[in-house]
Amino acid sequence: MSYSKNIDGWATYLKSYNRLSQKMEEKLKDLGHPQLEVYDVLWTLEQASECSLRFKELGKKVFLTRYGITRLVDRLVEQGLVERKVCESDKRGVWARLTSQGKKVRQSMWKDYAIIIKNDFSNKLTQKDHQDLIRILSKVWQED
Amino acid sequence: MSYSKNIDGWATYLKSYNRLSQKMEEKLKDLGHPQLEVYDVLWTLEQASECSLRFKELGKKVFLTRYGITRLVDRLVEQGLVERKVCESDKRGVWARLTSQGKKVRQSMWKDYAIIIKNDFSNKLTQKDHQDLIRILSKVWQED
DNA sequence: CAAGATTGACCCCTCAATCTTC
DNA sequence: GAAGATTGAGGGGTCAATCTTG
C-alpha cells in the first residue's frame, strides 16, 4: 500500500490502529476483562439519562452494527450487567438499562483500561500531538 | 470516554477508525468486492519476492491474528486466488503464493478501493495533515 | 405498509489439542 | 521437546425472514 503519499496516510492509520487495538485488547483480556465492545456498551449506557437507551439508539451510538445489538445485549443481560424493559409508550421499542452490577464492571474495567491507554497511547504523544490528532481525525469523521 | 484531554485523543482515534472503516468496507462490499482483510493478504503476497510467503511470515505481516491465517488462506485457495506449496527445505513450513487470478482480483479491488480512500480520507486532509498524522501515529506504533 | 426488534441459518474467528517435521 | 501448521468445538457476527406494534 504505498502508491502515493496520500495512500500512505491511510495505510499508516489502518495498520497503527489494528496493531495497537489488538495489543490493548489482549492486555485487557489477560486481566480477565471483557472485550472493548462491552466497555463501549456499558459506558454508552452510563452516559445516558437514567442509564437507559432504546436498542435503536444504543445501536447507533455504539461502534457495532445494529445486527449485533440484540445478541450482545442478551449476553450482558445473562451476566446481569444490563436489564431490558419494553417501552410502554411504544411497545415496538425496548429499553436497555445499566444495572448496578454493570456499573461496577465498567468501573473495574476502566481502572485497568485507563492505565493501558496512558501507557500505550497517551504518554507517547505530546499535548500538541493530541490536539493535532483530534483536529485531523475530526476532518474524516464527524459525530452524528 | 471524556475524562481528560489525553483520553479524548484515544476516543477520537477509536471512534473515527471504526466509523470510517465500516463505511468504506460497506462501499467495497456493495461493489461486489471481498473484505479488506482479503485485500491485505493479496497485497502482502504481491509485494513479496516471487509473490510467495511462508504462512508464519504472512500471519505476522497481516493484521489478522495467526489463528485465522490457515482458514483464510484455505478460502482463498478454494477461490483460486492463492496456491499453497509445502516448503522443501523445511517440511514443517508451508508457502502461500499469489496466482495470476489473485493478482487480477487485487487489481480490480484496488481500482475501487483507491477511489474510496481518496474520497473518504485523503481528499479531506491537507498535505501537512497527512505528514502530521503519519508522524503522530508512528509514535504509538512501530513496524516490526 | 413502516418501524423496532428477534430468530434461524450460515459463515467466520478463537483457542486448545493435535499432528508432522526438525 | 520445539516449531509450524491444522483441526474440532464452541462463541459470536451477519443477513434475510419474521414477528409485533404503530
Side-chain angles (χ1 to χ4, degrees), chain A:
Chain A
M1 294 190 194
S2 63
Y3 282 77
S4 76
K5 213 151 202 168
N6 291 347
I7 301 300
D8 281 347
W10 170 249
T12 301
Y13 186 42
L14 201 69
K15 207 145 195 170
S16 70
Y17 177 82
N18 281 281
R19 296 283 196 209
L20 188 56
S21 66
Q22 211 163 296
K23 181 173 153 194
M24 291 169 69
E25 285 240 34
E26 209 164 316
K27 288 189 183 178
L28 270 177
K29 206 186 59 180
D30 288 347
L31 291 166
H33 292 301
Q35 289 179 303
L36 271 188
E37 284 164 352
V38 170
Y39 185 87
D40 189 18
V41 170
L42 299 182
W43 175 238
T44 301
L45 285 176
E46 192 159 339
Q47 282 180 296
S49 152
E50 301 196 17
C51 295
S52 303
L53 277 176
R54 285 190 177 215
F55 274 40
K56 191 79 194 289
E57 284 306 307
L58 184 57
K60 268 197 267 181
K61 285 182 191 266
V62 164
F63 305 148
L64 304 167
T65 82
R66 62 195 165 83
Y67 299 118
I69 278 296
T70 299
R71 290 195 160 118
L72 176 50
V73 172
D74 276 351
R75 255 175 285 147
L76 299 181
V77 168
E78 277 177 27
Q79 295 167 32
L81 308 184
V82 171
E83 297 173 333
R84 36 190 313 163
K85 198 170 50 173
V86 173
C87 177
E88 292 169 13
S89 61
D90 180 349
K91 292 189 176 172
R92 291 174 305 184
V94 179
W95 289 88
R97 182 166 182 282
L98 193 64
T99 65
S100 59
Q101 172 68 8
K103 282 182 202 172
K104 276 185 204 158
V105 167
R106 192 201 67 75
Q107 280 165 14
S108 161
M109 288 187 76
W110 179 247
K111 227 178 118 191
D112 291 319
Y113 187 24
I115 295 172
I116 294 171
I117 294 174
K118 282 191 181 161
N119 286 343
D120 290 342
F121 183 84
S122 305
N123 287 352
K124 296 189 174 174
L125 304 181
T126 66
Q127 276 304 322
K128 180 156 191 320
D129 288 340
H130 277 93
Q131 289 165 13
D132 285 343
L133 185 64
I134 291 173
R135 180 181 54 74
I136 293 168
L137 293 183
S138 296
K139 287 189 181 183
V140 296
W141 166 76
Q142 283 298 333
E143 186 109 30
D144 310 328

Side-chain angles (χ1 to χ4, degrees), chain B:
Chain B
M1 292 191 196
S2 60
Y3 281 77
S4 76
K5 214 150 203 169
N6 292 348
I7 302 299
D8 281 347
W10 170 249
T12 301
Y13 185 41
L14 201 68
K15 207 144 195 172
S16 70
Y17 178 82
N18 282 281
R19 297 284 197 207
L20 188 56
S21 67
Q22 211 162 296
K23 181 174 153 192
M24 291 170 68
E25 285 240 34
E26 209 164 315
K27 289 188 183 178
L28 270 177
K29 207 186 60 181
D30 289 347
L31 291 167
H33 292 301
Q35 289 179 303
L36 271 188
E37 283 165 352
V38 171
Y39 185 87
D40 189 17
V41 171
L42 299 182
W43 176 237
T44 302
L45 285 176
E46 192 159 340
Q47 283 180 296
S49 152
E50 302 196 17
C51 295
S52 302
L53 278 176
R54 284 192 177 212
F55 275 40
K56 191 78 194 285
E57 284 305 308
L58 184 58
K60 267 197 265 180
K61 285 183 191 263
V62 163
F63 305 148
L64 304 167
T65 81
R66 63 194 165 82
Y67 298 119
I69 278 296
T70 300
R71 290 193 159 117
L72 176 50
V73 172
D74 276 350
R75 256 174 285 146
L76 299 181
V77 168
E78 278 177 26
Q79 296 167 32
L81 308 185
V82 171
E83 297 173 334
R84 38 190 311 163
K85 200 170 49 177
V86 173
C87 177
E88 292 170 13
S89 62
D90 180 349
K91 289 188 177 172
R92 291 174 305 183
V94 179
W95 288 88
R97 182 166 182 282
L98 194 64
T99 64
S100 59
Q101 173 68 9
K103 283 183 201 173
K104 277 186 202 159
V105 167
R106 193 201 66 76
Q107 280 165 14
S108 160
M109 287 186 78
W110 179 248
K111 227 179 119 189
D112 292 318
Y113 188 25
I115 295 172
I116 293 171
I117 293 174
K118 282 193 179 158
N119 286 343
D120 291 341
F121 184 84
S122 304
N123 287 352
K124 296 188 175 175
L125 303 181
T126 66
Q127 276 305 322
K128 178 152 194 324
D129 287 341
H130 277 93
Q131 289 165 14
D132 285 344
L133 186 64
I134 290 173
R135 180 182 53 75
I136 293 168
L137 293 183
S138 296
K139 287 188 180 183
V140 296
W141 167 76
Q142 283 300 332
E143 187 108 32
D144 309 327

